[in-house]
Amino acid sequence: MTRLFRMALLLLLLCVVALVSAITTMHFAIHGAEVQVPDLRGLSVADAIRKAASLDLSLSIDNRFYSAEMPEGRVLTQSPAPGTVVRREWRVRVTQSLGPQRIPVPNVIGQQEREATITMRRDGLDLGNVARMPFANVPEGTVIAQNPPANAEGVERPSLSLLVADSSAAETNAYVMPDFTGQLYPAASAAILRAGLKLAPVTDVPASVPAVSAAGSAQAPVAPLPPGSVIAQNPPAGHYVDANIPIQLTVVH
């Protein structure tokens, strides 16, 4: 009886040892496949790719932005954030700096959409959002507004969004609200009224003087908006509106 008890105890001990060994092996296997995401910000894209590859991570460039602080060709932001624990072969998404804005925003108002697109791409800009709305006495496909406006400074994205005249849009009961910010009030209000929409009384706000950068700062000065520019709107861009919804514009004076 004692011998049988000892054998059972030995078998139980062997099972415990095997279980602990399996758990330990699994622990090292799991954690051995995990890495911490390195800080890639400020590195050149080539160096960031090499650093990610050294940890068995892949890297993709999701977008490009202008930046007065980060030199051209370097990583501006990243996701996941530095220090995040991920599995190997995880994809790290980054945005690349284009450096300070050097490309002037062209004026494409009055051009046909195709011609405006060619102008933008020739100047190194991408086509952003395209909204359409009815606009009387203007040929279909004509650009009637753009964002950012012509010659704008301090823009973030190397892209241009367009508002295009479209006669077929008049057949619908609702329209997608375009972005009028940055436009002069006379042009924005004319576009709203000619589309058959209501315009609420304008809200005037005093112009603010941009802060002067400290000496030696790399940040480019921000040009003040000209008086009469639209700085806010309600409903915001992208919302559906109809003839029963008054559109409120906030204008700097």
Side-chain angles (χ1 to χ4, degrees):
M1 187 69 180
T2 304
R3 182 178 179 185
L4 183 62
F5 176 76
R6 288 179 178 175
M7 289 184 65
L9 185 61
L10 179 61
L11 287 174
L12 180 61
L13 182 60
L14 290 174
C15 289
V16 171
V17 171
L19 181 60
V20 171
S21 177
I23 293 174
T24 303
T25 302
M26 186 179 299
H27 173 81
F28 282 109
I30 292 174
H31 288 275
E34 294 178 339
V35 294
Q36 276 195 343
V37 177
D39 190 351
L40 305 175
R41 295 168 298 181
L43 298 179
S44 68
V45 171
D47 288 343
I49 291 174
R50 283 192 289 268
K51 189 168 185 177
S54 68
L55 297 172
D56 292 333
L57 300 173
S58 61
L59 184 143
S60 65
I61 300 174
D62 269 11
N63 219 325
R64 294 171 174 83
F65 296 95
Y66 293 120
S67 172
E69 293 80 23
M70 188 67 70
E72 181 179 2
R74 297 186 177 272
V75 174
L76 192 59
T77 63
Q78 68 178 80
S79 179
T84 304
V85 177
V86 299
R87 294 185 63 83
R88 293 184 186 274
E89 301 182 0
W90 196 272
R91 182 178 298 276
V92 181
R93 304 179 185 276
V94 303
T95 59
Q96 180 182 353
S97 171
L98 295 174
Q101 177 196 356
R102 296 188 300 272
I103 300 174
V105 177
N107 184 4
V108 297
I109 295 177
Q111 297 182 9
Q112 283 291 301
E113 181 180 351
R114 182 175 182 276
E115 180 187 358
T117 302
I118 293 174
T119 299
M120 291 158 47
R121 290 177 175 168
R122 181 193 63 204
D123 292 347
L125 298 172
D126 299 323
L127 178 63
N129 297 323
V130 178
R132 304 178 189 278
M133 66 186 302
F135 204 79
N137 303 320
V138 172
E140 184 173 357
T142 301
V143 177
I144 54 179
Q146 67 179 69
N147 185 50
N151 301 314
E153 297 181 359
V155 299
E156 181 184 60
R157 298 173 181 265
S159 62
L160 196 61
S161 296
L162 305 177
L163 177 61
V164 179
D166 186 359
S167 59
S168 63
E171 301 174 0
T172 62
N173 295 322
Y175 311 105
V176 176
M177 183 68 179
D179 188 358
F180 288 111
T181 56
Q183 303 292 322
L184 292 177
Y185 177 75
S189 60
I192 292 169
L193 295 175
R194 292 175 73 175
L197 303 175
K198 293 181 180 179
L199 187 63
V202 65
T203 300
D204 289 318
V205 297
S208 59
V209 179
V212 179
S213 301
S217 173
Q219 186 171 3
V222 179
L225 288 173
S229 297
V230 177
I231 59 173
Q233 64 183 62
N234 187 37
H239 282 232
Y240 281 95
V241 295
D242 56 35
N244 298 318
I245 299 177
I247 297 172
Q248 175 78 54
L249 299 179
T250 303
V251 179
V252 66
H253 66 79

